[in-house]
Amino acid sequence: ARATYHGLKKYCYPKRPFVITRSAYAGAQRYSSTWTGDNVATWEHLWIANVQAQRLAMSGYSFAGSDIGGFAEQPQGELFARWIQLGVFHTFCRVHSSGDHGDQEPWEFGDAITDIV
């Protein structure tokens, strides 16, 4: 992450570098953000995402988040809404999926979900 950060800083000046990684070592939080890796659209992975974000923050990685809605599989509407509600409290907040399991935009789940999120 450090080499990527410095390379981007050198060649993209005056813009700030944005690096995201999930493979890092102690101190990498100074140079990059991270996400918790590919997850599955289940209630268990929603719970795990919250625990992982808290533990990353405690270890100094303050810019972290998960793949909201699950990277693999398609969430049900309520699970998606709850994941959005949790994800807004993570500093790295994005809906991200493999694209192989359907669309994961809020409007794809109907008015009941868009009214919540």
Side-chain angles (χ1 to χ4, degrees), residues 12-93:
C12 294
Y13 183 81
K15 295 180 182 177
R16 282 185 359 188
F18 178 73
V19 180
I20 179 171
T21 185
R22 71 174 188 195
S23 176
Y25 54 90
Q29 73 274 9
R30 291 179 288 183
Y31 306 104
S32 71
S33 59
T34 192
W35 83 105
T36 57
D38 298 344
N39 54 16
V40 181
T42 64
W43 289 99
E44 180 184 17
H45 278 234
L46 171 63
W47 177 79
I48 291 170
N50 192 37
V51 171
Q52 287 176 320
Q54 291 175 27
R55 290 178 180 173
L56 282 164
M58 288 176 56
S59 65
Y61 235 120
S62 60
F63 195 5
S66 66
D67 293 337
I68 293 176
F71 183 77
E73 298 183 18
Q74 180 71 8
Q76 296 296 319
E78 183 182 359
L79 174 59
F80 183 79
R82 300 298 179 208
W83 214 313
I84 289 279
Q85 290 171 333
L86 171 69
V88 298
F89 293 103
H90 294 168
T91 52
F92 185 60
C93 178

